Amino acid sequence: MFIRLTPDIAVAAQIAPEDCAAAAAQGYVAIISNRPDDEVPGQPSAAKIGAAAAEAGLRFAHIPVGPAGIDEADIAAMAAELAAGGPVLAYCRSGTRSTNLWALAAASRGGDADAIVAAAAAGGYDVSGMAPFLRSLAARA
């Protein structure tokens, strides 16, 4: 259910409030929602997941990535959450947006683009098309 990309980050499809306790039991210290509220009817709100995360003793951040895509503020917010310490669980509808945002944030913190691409691929996500931009971000760090 949780796909570990590195020792510090895992991604998942939409989680339920009860998954927060499972995440804590597995050693995660934070949950990041990359899904906008009301993307589909019936999904748990970020507030509901955040409350369950707090109850489980986890940090929680809501960095929604919608149809407009990822912007610099999203990358900076994700990078700050990653810098606060992990392991972190990030979720969206399928895990793809969370993986893409993690890749960009990791590169913005000076991460090696090839290692980022390989970690995503090992988790079943293809971010290879972003490799030139990841290198550019890493070079600016």
Side-chain angles (χ1 to χ4, degrees), residues 92-139:
C92 59
R93 186 187 64 76
S94 68
T96 300
R97 282 176 282 185
S98 294
T99 300
N100 290 342
L101 185 53
W102 161 76
L104 294 164
S108 78
R109 297 175 66 211
D112 177 79
D114 293 331
I116 292 166
V117 170
Y125 298 95
D126 182 5
V127 299
S128 61
M130 293 193 305
F133 188 57
L134 296 175
R135 287 186 187 90
S136 173
L137 280 175

Side-chain angles (χ1 to χ4, degrees), residues 20-28 56 58:
C20 294
Q26 292 180 36
Y28 294 96
L58 303 172

Side-chain angles (χ1 to χ4, degrees), residues 20-52:
C20 294
Q26 292 180 36
Y28 294 96
V29 300
I31 293 178
I32 302 169
S33 169
N34 297 129
R35 191 165 195 194
D37 280 339
D38 301 318
E39 189 172 47
V40 297
Q43 81 184 51
S45 69
K48 187 171 259 191
I49 299 291

